[in-house]
Amino acid sequence: MRNTPTILHLDMDAFFASAEQASKPSLRGKAVIVGGLGPRGVVATASYEARVFGVHSAMPMAQARRLAPNAAYLVPRFAFYRSISEQVMALLRALSPLVEPLSLDEAFVDLEAGGAAWDEASARLAGGKLRADIRAVTGLTGSVGLAACKMLAKIASEQAKPDGLVVIEPGTERAMLGPMSVRTLPGVGPATGDHLRRAGIHTVEELAEAGEDELVRLLGKAHGHALYAMALARDERPVVAERETKSVSVEDTYDVDIHDRVRVGLEVQRLADRCVRRLREAGLSGRTIVLKVRRYDFSTLTRSETLRGPTDDRAVVREAAGRLLESVDTTGGVRLLGVGVSGLADYTQEDLFAQAAGERGRSAEDPGEDGAVEAAAAGVVTAEAGAPVVRRWAAGHDVRHAEFGHGWVQGSGVGRVTVRFETPESGPGRVRTFRVDDPQLSPAEPLPLVPRAPGVAAAGEVRA
């Protein structure tokens, strides 16, 4: 472990909710909760104003509504969050070649490897500049932790929240960690925490005092050794620039169990299309197709099929997922479906026979992958041939009206959709209600949170 605090951990503050507040002036300073809005939905992110009421991520949405009934509840806009994340990651990679993303809003950076810092003073300067750059480029805030190892840097960033910077100076680690709960350490979840509590171990200091042998006896060899090292503030893990993707998958949980076998099959095809699109966006292909089914009684089944070579062909993945579905009994109802691809590669070797069969099975009305995905993103569902198109407007998503301009969906139901017309640069906007099929209302792309000056490239963008 190094003797300078040159490992940086960045964690964006309430990322999804903060992005929504920055995008929607009427929500700034108010409780905002982002997640699945159905009865089985969970909270993805809650703004700090919502956390005052006890709402937190991974909480069932029904419980969040009881705790904060007057909060704004929004459907996630993952493409929007991903675009902001790319700007942030570009700023991190400007600091060092060793950047280890953990999620869209979190990453480790080895400042020493990029020459951005070599001692405490230079690390503080680099961390402060990064926070300022993030605010200037995205309009959002992030918390920064600096320490001599990854574990301590992450703990420091948690202490820095929201919108702060904390440096753990080498030599002070043990004193700082000692009084903290054992749950502070990575790998100590509820089950391990309860096990340690029953053994009379509550703090990190008590964990260190218990000794390595006792921890191995309580938790097993691997976990016991690792926790003892962390209790002594030892963490030799390096910042790893590239983390190999092992699989690509998508899944949906349904508000009401699906009993119709035909509907289940259509949902599996739709998930296969989304999975293939993610594969192609990542420049990957895969040879093992995986189907996940969670039934009405919460039992979860997985089925897989390995192809003769890696593929990113929509028809091939669709057909394989359909074959896997045939082996699953769904008569009691299905609450969750997922399709994934593993055994990834960066090239394709198509199964021509399966591909041909898939092409023959494609109907003339099938819009293809791009059409299906765009329709889903827009909240537009096409019914049977000859039936009218039904529009569904997701709360929080962007729209444009021919007369009133850009806005976002506050809510919809009983044939009406309510829209607030405002932009990141405007003040709180006016609210109007329309029919869901109003021809002047259409889905729109999110507006940038920080307007870009003419001729200025975005972070990470290279101009010819």
Side-chain angles (χ1 to χ4, degrees), residues 92-115:
L92 298 183
R93 293 187 180 97
L95 288 173
S96 172
L98 293 183
V99 176
E100 183 178 343
L102 303 179
S103 62
L104 289 178
D105 62 337
E106 186 179 0
F108 287 109
V109 184
D110 188 336
L111 297 176
E112 193 173 313

Side-chain angles (χ1 to χ4, degrees), residues 30 36 65 104 284 290 339 355 403 442:
K30 298 182 180 179
R65 288 186 183 277
L104 289 178
L284 298 170
V290 181
V339 174
Q355 182 176 351
E403 179 181 353
S442 60

Side-chain angles (χ1 to χ4, degrees), residues 117-150:
W118 50 92
D119 58 13
E120 182 186 338
S122 58
R124 283 184 182 274
L125 286 174
K129 183 178 185 303
L130 174 63
R131 292 177 57 232
D133 289 344
I134 289 173
R135 185 186 289 273
V137 170
T138 70
L140 304 180
T141 64
S143 296
V144 168
L146 291 158
C149 66
K150 290 167 68 173

Side-chain angles (χ1 to χ4, degrees), residues 23 77 397-401 404-408 419-424 444-447:
S23 177
R77 297 186 292 165
H397 282 225
D398 297 84
V399 294
R400 177 166 291 280
H401 191 274
F404 302 110
H406 191 94
W408 58 277
V419 178
R420 184 181 288 273
F421 292 96
E422 60 187 7
T423 70
E445 292 296 321
L447 297 177

Side-chain angles (χ1 to χ4, degrees), residues 438-455:
D438 191 316
Q440 295 192 49
L441 191 66
S442 60
E445 292 296 321
L447 297 177
L449 299 182
V450 177
R452 198 184 311 165

Side-chain angles (χ1 to χ4, degrees), residues 13-18 32-35 43-47 51 56-58 105:
D13 299 322
F15 183 44
F16 296 172
S18 294
V32 174
I33 299 170
V34 180
V43 175
T45 307
S47 70
R51 295 180 191 187
H56 57 78
S57 61
D105 62 337

Side-chain angles (χ1 to χ4, degrees), residues 149-230:
C149 66
K150 290 167 68 173
M151 177 192 73
L152 293 171
K154 185 172 175 62
I155 291 173
S157 70
E158 188 64 30
Q159 292 182 327
K161 284 187 166 295
D163 191 22
L165 183 150
V166 168
V167 179
I168 298 178
E169 301 177 11
T172 67
E173 299 95 342
R174 291 285 302 276
M176 182 270 298
L177 278 177
M180 291 185 174
S181 166
V182 293
R183 291 290 304 276
T184 304
L185 300 180
V188 182
T192 302
D194 287 344
H195 193 49
L196 291 170
R197 179 180 53 79
R198 287 193 294 270
I201 300 173
H202 302 85
T203 67
V204 176
E205 183 177 10
E206 291 171 344
L207 197 66
E209 290 174 350
E212 190 169 14
D213 292 341
E214 176 64 8
L215 295 180
V216 168
R217 187 187 69 80
L218 287 171
L219 305 172
K221 187 174 181 180
H223 204 184
H225 285 312
L227 274 189
Y228 183 68
M230 286 189 285

